[in-house]
């Protein structure tokens, strides 16, 4: 079993819809959680960074962490065609420099 | 802030030659830099971690003599692919982390290497 599981998709939703992206993990030591967006042939771009459980909102993006369920989510409101990309979750434990990534979910927003 | 650049963005070389890829943190001092490799439609695979002034730590299965990493300053790390072969063709991405930033890594735009 992988430490981090993420549905690879592809996921297609109409413009304006709310998108929900999720990752589950098995390592209870993970405390730092990140979401990256990666456009084709580009490096990943940091979208959200959260520490431990709770919610964090930034514009149209909301990140949720539920440590009791070992489950993290990224919500995108009012989705736009420019949101079409691969979304990677990443996480790590305190003092561990390495990130453990999910496989990425390919998202397409249909105009 | 937190901008990481890579150069070149694309490189094509002949089999047997060496290729150097530069990674720079433009607006911060990177205490740690990371080198990843990514195959099409796959996630990132960590190759090595480097700290300024010390030897890089390579992941299991990564040949340190083939992938030479130099972290000469707090803003520059280089990856040299020595005696490149077609199977080394891939997308190479660096990332950097600043002191006091927790565990967040900021990524460069990537370098696409094609070995003929």
């Amino acid at each position: 079993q992988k430490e981090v599981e993420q549905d690879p998709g592809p996921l297609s939703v109409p413009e304006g819809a709310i998108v929900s992206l999720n990752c589950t993990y098995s390592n209870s030591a993970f405390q730092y959680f990140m979401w990256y967006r990666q456009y084709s042939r580009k490096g990943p771009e940091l979208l959200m960074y959260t520490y431990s459980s709770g919610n964090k909102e930034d514009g149209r993006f909301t990140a949720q962490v539920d440590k009791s369920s070992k489950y993290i989510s990224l919500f995108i409101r009012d989705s736009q065609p420019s949101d079409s990309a691969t979304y990677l979750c990443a996480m790590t434990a305190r003092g561990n420099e390495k990130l453990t990534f999910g496989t990425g979910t390919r998202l397409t927003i249909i105009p | 802030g937190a901008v990481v650049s890579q150069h070149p963005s694309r490189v094509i070389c002949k089999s047997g030659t060496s290729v150097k890829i530069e990674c720079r943190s433009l607006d911060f001092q990177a205490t740690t830099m990371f080198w990843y490799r990514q195959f099409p439609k796959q996630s990132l695979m960590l190759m090595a971690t480097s700290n300024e002034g010390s030897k890089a730590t390579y992941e299991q299965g990564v040949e340190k003599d083939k992938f030479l990493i130099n972290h000469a300053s707090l803003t520059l790390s280089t990856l040299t692919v020595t005696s490149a072969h077609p199977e080394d063709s891939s997308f190479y991405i660096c990332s950097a982390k600043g002191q006091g930033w927790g565990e967040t890594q900021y990524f460069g735009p990537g370098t696409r290497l094609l070995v003929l």
Side-chain angles (χ1 to χ4, degrees):
Chain A
Q1 183 188 6
K2 292 180 181 178
E3 274 193 298
V4 179
E5 298 278 358
Q6 183 177 10
D7 186 340
L11 177 63
S12 295
V13 300
E15 183 176 356
I18 296 175
V19 176
S20 173
L21 303 167
N22 312 292
C23 288
T24 59
Y25 62 95
S26 56
N27 189 340
S28 58
F30 287 153
Q31 289 186 303
Y32 301 91
F33 305 92
M34 284 142 270
W35 285 95
Y36 288 90
R37 176 175 63 194
Q38 186 176 24
Y39 292 113
S40 181
R41 299 174 183 264
K42 300 290 184 184
E45 171 194 7
L46 180 67
L47 284 177
M48 300 290 283
Y49 169 61
T50 53
Y51 167 70
S52 200
S53 284
N55 293 359
K56 184 176 183 178
E57 187 173 321
D58 184 359
R60 296 185 296 112
F61 299 93
T62 299
Q64 284 187 351
V65 174
D66 182 348
K67 289 195 70 182
S68 62
S69 303
K70 297 190 180 66
Y71 188 88
I72 69 170
S73 301
L74 177 70
F75 297 97
I76 307 174
R77 290 184 299 280
D78 187 25
S79 55
Q80 305 293 313
S82 58
D83 295 327
S84 299
T86 295
Y87 289 79
L88 295 154
C89 64
M91 51 197 79
T92 190
R94 180 188 295 274
N96 185 351
E97 292 185 312
K98 300 178 191 177
L99 296 179
T100 301
F101 287 90
T103 52
T105 300
R106 280 200 299 141
L107 173 67
T108 300
I109 305 299
I110 304 166
Chain B
V3 179
V4 178
S5 71
Q6 272 183 252
H7 178 79
S9 57
R10 293 181 64 185
V11 58
I12 301 172
C13 68
K14 293 182 179 179
S15 185
T17 61
S18 293
V19 174
K20 181 185 281 188
I21 302 170
E22 288 189 351
C23 176
R24 292 182 185 271
S25 57
L26 298 185
D27 53 0
F28 67 100
Q29 292 187 326
T31 50
T32 308
M33 285 185 165
F34 305 83
W35 286 95
Y36 293 84
R37 187 172 178 177
Q38 188 176 35
F39 292 103
K41 298 186 179 181
Q42 294 189 24
S43 192
L44 302 162
M45 183 187 79
L46 179 66
M47 299 174 65
T49 303
S50 74
N51 293 288
E52 184 259 343
S54 29
K55 288 185 179 180
T57 302
Y58 290 81
E59 294 300 298
Q60 193 171 13
V62 177
E63 299 177 60
K64 58 182 67 176
D65 294 332
K66 181 163 189 64
F67 298 100
L68 300 179
I69 292 171
N70 187 332
H71 194 157
S73 74
L74 284 172
T75 60
L76 173 64
S77 177
T78 59
L79 167 68
T80 302
V81 183
T82 62
S83 186
H85 291 286
E87 59 265 30
D88 298 324
S89 299
S90 191
F91 192 48
Y92 293 88
I93 313 174
C94 72
S95 71
K97 191 172 76 165
Q99 191 168 15
W101 286 9
E103 311 304 334
T104 308
Q105 293 180 24
Y106 290 88
F107 286 83
T111 296
R112 190 161 300 280
L113 171 63
L114 177 61
V115 184
L116 302 177

